[in-house]
Amino acid sequence: MSTNKDSKWLLDAEVQSKIEYVKGRWQVSLVFIDTKDPNHILIQTIGDYRSKRLAEIGAMYMQQNAAKDVRGTQKVNKDDYNFNNN
């Protein structure tokens, strides 16, 4: 995203965490989903952890901080998008 206008949707995005086992480590990513267009997503890798439990704690903490919004938590209908790990 090159301009400020292109990234404004992130202010209203729903934030979810994603944990995957990659090369012996548990990798945490945040998934930002546009509430107006659920096919518009951004996945940002946050870090990796030695155990799944540490990854879950880190993901929960990062997700809560990223989703802070004075209007409340933004939600997207789960049937509006489909993640494929392939």
Side-chain angles (χ1 to χ4, degrees):
M1 286 179 235
S2 58
T3 66
N4 206 11
K5 181 182 175 189
D6 292 339
S7 60
K8 282 187 176 184
W9 69 272
L10 288 169
L11 296 173
D12 293 327
E14 177 180 347
V15 182
Q16 296 184 4
S17 59
K18 178 178 168 185
I19 300 173
E20 295 180 293
Y21 192 69
V22 179
K23 297 181 181 177
R25 304 279 291 177
W26 292 94
Q27 186 178 56
V28 175
S29 301
L30 290 180
V31 180
F32 297 87
I33 305 168
D34 191 340
T35 56
K36 293 176 179 62
D37 177 10
N39 292 318
H40 188 204
I41 64 170
L42 172 68
I43 300 174
Q44 182 66 46
T45 302
I46 300 303
D48 59 85
Y49 299 85
R50 69 178 185 262
S51 73
K52 186 175 183 181
R53 182 66 186 138
L54 287 175
E56 291 169 346
I57 293 168
M60 182 181 63
Y61 176 75
M62 293 303 293
Q63 182 178 354
Q64 286 175 347
N65 283 327
K68 294 273 186 204
D69 189 334
V70 293
R71 296 166 294 167
T73 304
Q74 302 295 309
K75 290 292 180 192
V76 174
N77 184 347
K78 303 300 182 218
D79 295 328
D80 289 345
Y81 62 89
N82 181 23
F83 289 130
N84 184 350
N85 288 333
N86 293 329

